[in-house]
Amino acid sequence: MVSANSLLKALFIFFNQLFVVVGGVIFSLGLLCHVFTNEAEFEERKMGIFYLYLVGALTIIIALLGAYGAHKEKKSMLIVFFVGMCLACSVMLRFAVPSAIIRPQMEEAVESYFRSLVPLDRTPPSTRHMAELLQAQFKCCGIFNGYKDWQRIPQSCVCQDDEFENCDSVSLTPYETLFSQRVTMVYTQSCGPMLVNYVVKIFDIWLGICFGLAALALLGVVMSSLLLVQMKPPKFRRPMIFSLSSHPPKYSELINESSKSDGGHGW
């Protein structure tokens, strides 16, 4: 078998080492999600966690097969790697291309979804809890209309004693508040714009990851193809046959016989 180019082999092995790292990161993300997900939320997230485990493990296995196949020049392992990279590239593009198509409408769709949650008091308890955590963390209130997005304003909308920026004094009826004060300072900044910007950024990161992994998989397809071509044996050549016989050639025998018949005399 013809030896593959040593530089290409080294680059290919380094490429697969990067893929092992990527697979390890994906598998670790699945493990972290599994550890920090409580039992109530695990049923909703178990399929996503399972896919993280699966993708991470398959990436590591295929990368190790490719590296070992290149090192030992095993065509069968390189073919498995080639097929795996083709499938990975197709799957990534299957998710990335439709996501890129809907990207221009993404911000409007997210904003429309958040507006549908108003009034926040009527959302599920988990959504209300998340909204209050965001309000306390980012010092904002409501989605797009401030405290008016609540029928009864929660304590997380109330400004602290030492906070005066982005706060406004409002007079509340007993039916508009969950606390004892009737005139209080609440955050005037809405949480909606920050939430929309946050979701859009996550979506852009997702797009970048999909296209990046698709490009890496395509690079793996090209490199494994080059290695397989270099490992292809040369075309069969018909060997040249040299006679080692001690007998003189036929034309020499004819000349000798002709000389004898003439009595050994020349013309």
Side-chain angles (χ1 to χ4, degrees), residues 59-71:
T59 302
I60 293 173
I61 292 171
I62 292 176
L64 291 176
L65 284 175
Y68 184 79
H71 180 66

Side-chain angles (χ1 to χ4, degrees), residues 259 262-267:
S259 299
D262 294 334
H265 300 285
W267 294 97

Side-chain angles (χ1 to χ4, degrees), residues 99-195:
S99 299
I101 293 174
I102 66 172
R103 172 61 181 83
Q105 294 82 31
M106 183 66 187
E107 187 171 348
E108 182 179 350
V110 173
E111 183 176 340
S112 177
Y113 169 75
F114 284 133
R115 289 187 184 278
S116 68
L117 299 177
V118 178
L120 292 170
D121 308 74
R122 298 180 182 178
T123 57
S126 59
T127 304
R128 290 200 304 271
H129 178 67
M130 182 62 66
E132 293 197 39
L133 288 177
L134 290 172
Q135 290 176 159
Q137 178 68 30
F138 296 105
K139 303 186 184 305
C140 55
C141 184
I143 302 296
F144 292 102
N145 300 309
Y147 69 91
K148 295 180 181 179
D149 288 335
W150 293 91
Q151 291 180 332
R152 303 192 71 184
I153 301 173
Q155 186 68 37
S156 58
C157 281
V158 179
C159 297
Q160 303 300 320
D161 295 335
D162 57 345
E163 294 175 339
F164 298 99
E165 296 182 0
N166 299 323
C167 294
D168 193 12
S169 177
V170 295
S171 179
L172 306 173
T173 67
Y175 299 101
E176 292 178 323
T177 179
L178 294 175
F179 41 89
S180 58
Q181 297 175 345
R182 297 293 177 263
V183 178
T184 188
M185 301 286 289
V186 298
Y187 297 118
T188 56
Q189 184 178 6
S190 300
C191 302
M194 289 186 293
L195 288 174

